[in-house]
Amino acid sequence: MGKSKGKGVASSSIQPEAKAQQKRRRLVRAGDPDPEEYAPPRGPKPDWTSGSLLDQPVEWHTDLFHEQMNKLQQRKEAFICEKDVREVDFRPFGITDKFKALGWEAALKSYDGEVKNLYDRQIQAWMATLTCPPFNSPPKMKLIGRVNGVSVEMSYDSIRRIAKFDSKPVNQYIFPRLEDLYFNPQKHPLWQHMLDYLFIPGTTHGKLLRRNLRIEAELMLVVCTQNVIPRRGDKVEVRFAEVPVLYMLLHGSPLVPFHFLVLNNIWISQNSGERKIIPH
């Protein structure tokens, strides 16, 4: 390592506060958040090792999120971009028809095919500053973050400007409660029926393993984890939140807005200490 030019001090003489300032500057370069001088006063830094980011002091959310992302050896692997599904390959399996039945056909296309650069630092900065203002109804849900001092909003309207998701009439869609779909779907009255529909009989006790899915469901899970509720790693098990989504895709109902899945998947990914991903 080369020596720094100009006046300097030995590393052993650097005070704890100076070290903390250096660390914050590294976070700024890694994630491009707003300048530190605009940050509000904050107390002692917490240790975020598990649980939700929402349980941590709000003034530390941005730094904690950047630290989690910067721990990754291959940081770009955390940016999950949807895959283009070639109809010529998947039409014989009926996959494209399943998406059309729910009005999700736009999820099968990649809309950044002509874009060579992914502005991952700006995207991470947006995720790190993300807030979800209170809303009266699910269609009013918004995610708001800041990039280079500018507020950037993701909502149903902004997603629709990117692609024509949810092509069915609005009054046909239902909005399940977030906790039912992502956190406690096994309490849903149709839970056992969904398991029986998706898995080989007698294999749903204990862990829900991918190898025990029926052939159609196992194929659909691959598309689901890349284009609907993306994730990385842990491809052995089927997560609880994926069960109702797989059921909807294979059964053709109930109709749940794709916008709803996108917004909530991003919000949950940002707040989970275990999910070092930036989906969609």
Side-chain angles (χ1 to χ4, degrees), residues 260-279:
F260 176 88
L261 298 179
V262 171
L263 288 168
N264 283 290
N265 197 30
I266 292 175
W267 180 237
I268 290 173
S269 298
Q270 190 253 11
N271 286 289
S272 173
E274 292 77 25
R275 301 188 187 190
K276 299 177 183 177
I277 64 171
I278 297 181

Side-chain angles (χ1 to χ4, degrees), residues 67-94:
E67 283 191 353
Q68 285 287 71
M69 291 293 297
N70 294 338
K71 288 178 182 177
L72 296 172
Q73 293 182 349
Q74 297 294 329
R75 177 173 158 274
K76 287 191 175 182
E77 290 183 0
F79 292 79
I80 304 179
C81 304
E82 293 71 17
K83 308 298 181 182
D84 223 350
V85 176
R86 289 174 19 120
E87 287 199 29
V88 65
D89 296 329
F90 287 89
R91 190 183 302 111
F93 300 99

Side-chain angles (χ1 to χ4, degrees), residues 189-202:
L190 290 178
W191 178 250
Q192 191 58 49
H193 172 72
M194 291 189 288
L195 295 182
D196 295 339
Y197 189 87
L198 299 171
F199 289 86
I200 298 172

Side-chain angles (χ1 to χ4, degrees), residues 10-272:
S11 59
S12 59
S13 64
I14 298 178
Q15 298 301 315
E17 179 58 28
K19 290 182 178 180
Q21 291 178 355
Q22 289 180 356
K23 192 170 186 180
R24 285 197 289 270
R25 283 196 291 270
R26 287 198 294 271
L27 290 174
V28 168
R29 289 197 298 270
D32 193 26
D34 292 334
E36 185 179 347
E37 57 264 27
Y38 298 110
R42 45 190 181 176
K45 181 183 176 183
D47 184 18
W48 184 37
T49 56
S50 62
S52 174
L53 184 61
L54 295 174
D55 295 333
Q56 305 299 329
V58 65
E59 65 269 18
W60 284 102
H61 283 187
T62 299
D63 281 2
L64 293 175
F65 181 83
H66 283 310
E67 283 191 353
Q68 285 287 71
M69 291 293 297
N70 294 338
K71 288 178 182 177
L72 296 172
Q73 293 182 349
Q74 297 294 329
R75 177 173 158 274
K76 287 191 175 182
E77 290 183 0
F79 292 79
I80 304 179
C81 304
E82 293 71 17
K83 308 298 181 182
D84 223 350
V85 176
R86 289 174 19 120
E87 287 199 29
V88 65
D89 296 329
F90 287 89
R91 190 183 302 111
F93 300 99
I95 288 181
T96 54
D97 293 335
K98 301 293 186 182
F99 275 76
K100 289 178 181 178
L102 295 174
W104 294 359
E105 56 267 33
L108 295 173
K109 299 294 183 181
S110 174
Y111 287 87
D112 60 355
E114 297 180 359
V115 178
K116 302 302 181 182
N117 297 319
L118 178 67
Y119 297 95
D120 54 352
R121 294 186 184 278
Q122 287 82 358
I123 294 172
Q124 181 175 325
W126 181 77
M127 283 281 289
T129 58
L130 213 57
T131 60
C132 182
F135 51 92
N136 296 325
S137 62
K140 301 297 183 181
M141 181 180 181
K142 296 180 181 179
L143 300 179
I144 302 175
R146 297 184 65 81
V147 181
N148 297 331
V150 178
S151 179
V152 179
E153 175 184 296
M154 176 179 280
S155 65
Y156 283 75
D157 291 337
S158 65
I159 293 176
R160 190 169 181 80
R161 287 196 294 269
I162 298 173
K164 190 181 179 182
F165 295 120
D166 302 328
S167 60
K168 299 289 183 180
V170 176
N171 59 4
Q172 291 187 14
Y173 288 104
I174 63 171
F175 293 85
R177 293 191 307 169
L178 176 62
E179 58 269 26
D180 289 342
L181 186 60
Y182 279 96
F183 302 120
N184 300 305
Q186 64 270 39
K187 293 184 179 181
H188 194 282
L190 290 178
W191 178 250
Q192 191 58 49
H193 172 72
M194 291 189 288
L195 295 182
D196 295 339
Y197 189 87
L198 299 171
F199 289 86
I200 298 172
T203 64
T204 58
H205 300 289
K207 294 183 178 180
L208 301 178
L209 300 178
R210 173 179 173 177
R211 67 170 183 262
N212 293 329
L213 286 169
R214 299 179 189 271
I215 294 177
E216 298 87 347
E218 186 173 3
L219 178 61
M220 187 65 78
L221 179 64
V222 177
V223 183
C224 179
T225 56
Q226 292 185 344
N227 286 52
V228 183
I229 46 176
R231 63 180 172 96
R232 61 190 287 264
D234 188 23
K235 297 298 195 296
V236 175
E237 293 186 39
V238 181
R239 296 180 179 176
F240 285 165
E242 293 164 350
V243 170
V245 176
L246 282 176
Y247 178 81
M248 285 186 281
L249 281 166
L250 293 175
H251 189 262
S253 66
L255 295 180
V256 172
F258 188 77
H259 301 74
F260 176 88
L261 298 179
V262 171
L263 288 168
N264 283 290
N265 197 30
I266 292 175
W267 180 237
I268 290 173
S269 298
Q270 190 253 11
N271 286 289
S272 173

